[in-house]
Amino acid sequence: MIRPGRMFKQLVSSFFKKPATLNYPAERSGMPEGFRGKLKFTPDKCIGCLMCMRDCPTGAIKIKKIAEKQFECEIDLGKCIYCAQCVDSCPKKALEITQEFELAKLDRKKLTVVFNAENKGEAR
Amino acid sequence: MHNSQDVQVPFGPQHPALKEPESFLVTLRGEKITASSVKIGYNHRGIEKACEERTYIQDLYLIERICGICSHSHATAFSQAVEEIAGLEVPKRALYIRSLIGELERVHSHLLWLGVAGHEIGFDTLLMYTWRDREVVMDILSLLTGNRVNYGMNTIGGVRRDITPAQAKEVLKAVDTLEERTKYYIKIATQETTIIDRLSGVGVLSKKDAISLGAVGPTARASGVARDVRKDDPYAAYGELDFKVITTNTCDVYGRTVVRVLELMESYKMIRQILKDIPEGAITVRAPRKIPAGEAASRYEAPRGEDFHYVRSNGTEKPDRVKVRAPTLANVQAVSKMLEDRYLADMPIVIAAIDPCFSCTDRSIVIKNSGTRNSKTVPWEVLHVQSIEWYKEHKGIDFSALNKKYAKHFKI
Ligand code: SF4
Ligand code: SF4
């Protein structure tokens, strides 16, 4: 059956509905659980095995030894592709993903963040 | 040789109407296209070579980024090849999850295409609606995998994330919504006169041409070629799933639209079946870091058609060679055929109808014997003799008598 103007009813009904989009950033939809956002590193758990660095596809993560059995982690958020392979590779669960996704910076240097005893994922 | 009325129009590589850099050379007589050719290679990223420099695990994420739309297709095809070389038995549950994500990906790709097709023919309302509905499946994908695109679901030897019962429920709810919307689009596609008139008889590719040009995916199926890797060479869980290969015999853009919307219904059916039948168990087997030497080819039915990967390993952590043949490369040959004797105004929708992805396809190209005449290398001495002969014949300039005379004088 051929029916011209097949979409007309739908169009009229949409006219009275509220918009399908959100007025971001005032309104937010929230990220699903398990969303792969910015990484989090817990220095106490790390044993310095460097498996995360070995598997990272982009070379975004660096683990440095700062003292005996103490490690700090430096992540280049500009290089990171948020694949969470490092999280899978870490045998001690020292790395986790968070739902934080608004990571743009005006200064390129601020994209390199450091996790250690004092610094919790801020630029140095 | 060209007729004097023919005008050659180059499109691209930078052109406002094109979404990716590619170049078309169209020969026009009036409004009619008499010949056309596609030149690709402007988006070549050297991914295959880069894969040789990285480990298998790192390659997965690179391969996934060949295409933003069918990322799961490429990652799965690559994993399958590596698993075959390493002789890994991937757990059933992982295979089902791969198929589930694959079908969700097909749903989002086909809805995206429907919108793009609507846009190309000036039916932007369809674009708005399909893309709004596509958000439903994007949300589901990000719920299951952690991202809207580049899902990162595959790993060598299985998948990285399991599906919880709560997530399965969400998927089923979303599939119900999508199915209802798709039924509406099927009605639109098959009853709305403007769409039927606009797309029927446009971009015709006969069954014979589809076979001889090696078309794949919905492009081939709309020309009546029942070609689908999921049926022909089942991978993941497809051997156990119940679905039909949708074909039509209209051979035009209208047929390609119908094939895609009907395939959506098959995908919903498969998703429901997967969630019902998914076996319990592990989602990965341990894969070695070093893959033993060997080679394997793997095929995958991406939303745009057959995706082909070849991997050769040499016993190290890194592959020796990776080769990708994305579906667009198989279909792009058919575009020139489809455009023959059509109007210039049909060009956008005919190109859009193969659902092209040029960056997936792009490779560096060496053009040999370009142009219409056969070229050959002529050595200098041959040219020397030829030039003398040519002047003798055409201009009557001949030095041989003079040469003889001088030869007598100088006794050469
Ligand atoms: S998330 Fe991926 S890209 Fe980012 S640091 Fe971890 S492994 Fe590297
Ligand atoms: S893999 Fe984990 S434990 Fe090993 S160096 Fe990286 S963060 Fe530390």
Side-chain angles (χ1 to χ4, degrees):
Chain A
M1 184 181 49
I2 303 289
R3 281 179 53 185
R6 194 79 194 52
M7 264 190 149
F8 192 70
K9 238 167 88 186
Q10 177 86 188
L11 283 178
V12 176
S13 78
S14 302
F15 195 66
F16 296 103
K17 278 194 197 133
K18 68 177 185 20
T21 48
L22 287 178
N23 196 7
Y24 179 85
E27 294 166 56
R28 286 152 186 275
S29 61
M31 287 294 128
E33 202 188 321
F35 175 79
R36 302 194 304 265
K38 184 180 170 183
L39 291 169
K40 192 172 147 214
F41 173 76
T42 314
D44 302 344
K45 290 189 188 164
C46 179
I47 51 164
C49 67
L50 306 188
M51 286 307 285
C52 50
M53 279 173 71
R54 200 166 147 193
D55 280 346
C56 174
T58 61
I61 188 166
K62 278 197 192 83
I63 303 283
K64 274 187 213 148
K65 190 171 180 178
I66 43 175
E68 196 51 43
K69 290 201 174 139
Q70 266 186 44
F71 300 92
E72 75 168 25
C73 169
E74 189 185 289
I75 297 171
D76 186 339
L77 298 179
K79 272 191 187 168
C80 180
I81 54 170
Y82 307 94
C83 61
Q85 178 58 46
C86 50
V87 178
D88 286 6
S89 298
C90 178
K92 291 288 166 195
K93 296 198 166 51
L95 288 159
E96 331 161 35
I97 42 167
T98 68
Q99 290 172 315
E100 199 183 333
F101 67 96
E102 289 150 315
L103 303 171
K105 295 278 181 313
L106 287 173
D107 182 358
R108 187 179 276 264
K109 280 194 211 102
K110 293 219 174 89
L111 282 174
T112 305
V113 298
V114 177
F115 292 85
N116 53 30
E118 312 90 62
N119 219 339
K120 303 233 162 347
E122 306 301 324
R124 210 190 302 260
Chain B
M1 273 279 83
H2 293 294
N3 190 308
S4 59
Q5 295 166 323
D6 288 352
V7 181
Q8 282 201 324
V9 187
F11 275 95
Q14 300 299 331
H15 190 275
L18 301 173
K19 273 135 206 125
E20 288 174 274
E22 65 264 358
S23 162
F24 296 91
L25 189 64
V26 202
T27 312
L28 292 175
R29 188 172 302 162
E31 292 272 314
K32 274 219 164 148
I33 299 175
T34 56
S36 67
S37 66
V38 189
K39 207 182 265 178
I40 55 171
Y42 299 95
N43 246 348
H44 182 60
R45 292 169 291 174
I47 287 184
E48 291 173 350
K49 188 72 191 163
C51 281
E52 296 167 15
E53 310 285 311
R54 286 165 176 76
T55 66
Y56 288 96
I57 289 286
Q58 291 172 327
D59 281 345
L60 265 177
Y61 300 99
L62 183 61
I63 288 276
E64 194 170 54
R65 279 156 182 77
I66 289 176
C67 182
I69 310 280
C70 19
S71 57
H72 185 72
S73 310
H74 286 289
T76 309
F78 178 76
S79 315
Q80 283 175 178
V82 179
E83 284 152 6
E84 195 184 317
I85 302 173
L88 298 176
E89 184 82 38
V90 180
K92 266 257 164 86
R93 192 175 174 85
L95 294 178
Y96 269 74
I97 294 176
R98 275 185 187 170
S99 281
L100 173 68
I101 305 296
E103 287 315 305
L104 287 168
E105 182 177 75
R106 192 177 321 276
V107 170
H108 108 72
S109 175
H110 280 5
L111 285 173
L112 177 118
W113 179 84
L114 196 57
V116 172
H119 173 71
E120 293 297 357
I121 58 173
F123 192 10
D124 279 302
T125 315
L126 188 64
L127 165 76
M128 296 293 172
Y129 282 142
T130 46
W131 283 35
R132 178 193 67 191
D133 297 335
R134 178 175 166 261
E135 283 305 302
V136 176
V137 64
M138 300 306 280
D139 284 348
I140 286 297
L141 280 166
S142 70
L143 175 77
L144 297 182
T145 68
N147 212 348
R148 286 163 58 91
V149 287
N150 296 333
Y151 319 111
M153 203 56 170
N154 280 308
T155 185
I156 311 291
V159 291
R160 293 171 65 201
R161 289 190 188 200
D162 206 351
I163 307 270
T164 64
Q167 285 173 334
K169 235 188 237 161
E170 288 292 315
V171 177
L172 288 175
K173 231 168 58 195
V175 167
D176 288 342
T177 320
L178 287 165
E179 187 170 26
E180 191 200 314
R181 296 299 306 166
T182 305
K183 280 187 184 150
Y184 177 69
Y185 294 128
I186 293 176
K187 272 192 197 151
I188 298 271
T190 51
Q191 297 181 358
E192 171 63 64
T193 36
T194 328
I195 293 198
I196 300 172
D197 290 350
R198 177 67 181 82
L199 301 181
S200 297
V202 173
V204 175
L205 181 74
S206 67
K207 184 171 180 177
K208 203 174 124 248
D209 287 337
I211 294 172
S212 66
L213 292 168
V216 294
T219 309
R221 293 197 282 273
S223 294
V225 186
R227 190 177 271 175
D228 191 323
V229 184
R230 292 174 294 174
K231 268 272 191 271
D232 305 342
D233 183 12
Y235 55 91
Y238 290 109
E240 289 158 33
L241 298 179
D242 170 36
F243 66 101
K244 282 201 300 269
V245 175
I246 307 281
T247 55
T248 64
N249 289 314
T250 56
C251 305
D252 51 7
V253 178
Y254 180 66
R256 280 160 223 150
T257 312
V258 171
V259 164
R260 287 194 177 97
V261 286
L262 293 179
E263 271 183 16
L264 286 173
M265 299 303 284
E266 293 300 309
S267 293
Y268 302 143
K269 202 166 84 187
M270 277 187 258
I271 293 169
R272 291 210 180 94
Q273 201 189 342
I274 290 170
L275 291 175
K276 191 162 68 67
D277 296 346
I278 185 165
E280 291 299 321
I283 55 165
T284 43
V285 281
R286 242 190 103 74
R289 287 194 149 265
K290 289 187 176 149
I291 302 293
E295 59 180 354
S298 139
R299 298 159 79 198
Y300 183 104
E301 185 71 20
R304 289 154 179 72
E306 181 201 50
D307 182 19
F308 174 90
H309 280 232
Y310 166 81
V311 180
R312 188 173 65 217
S313 57
N314 52 9
T316 62
E317 285 187 359
K318 297 170 182 172
D320 196 36
R321 175 80 171 100
V322 177
K323 169 84 198 147
V324 179
R325 206 281 337 257
T328 300
L329 188 73
N331 281 333
V332 83
Q333 327 288 339
V335 170
S336 304
K337 194 88 208 158
M338 293 177 195
L339 284 173
E340 247 169 46
D341 268 338
R342 292 299 311 180
Y343 292 103
L344 182 62
D346 289 335
M347 200 175 146
I349 185 64
V350 169
I351 294 172
I354 68 161
D355 205 356
C357 183
F358 288 101
S359 56
C360 306
T361 296
D362 258 342
R363 48 209 66 235
S364 54
I365 300 171
V366 180
I367 298 171
K368 285 184 181 163
N369 286 354
S370 88
T372 47
R373 262 163 292 180
N374 285 341
S375 62
K376 57 179 179 190
T377 317
V378 181
W380 183 252
E381 305 78 58
V382 178
L383 190 68
H384 170 80
V385 174
Q386 268 177 4
S387 76
I388 294 171
E389 290 302 316
W390 192 89
Y391 265 88
K392 242 191 234 172
E393 195 181 313
H394 291 88
K395 306 268 172 190
I397 298 177
D398 187 355
F399 289 96
S400 40
L402 210 58
N403 276 346
K404 259 188 212 144
K405 206 168 121 191
Y406 284 147
K408 250 192 251 157
H409 278 289
F410 298 109
K411 298 195 174 61
I412 300 173

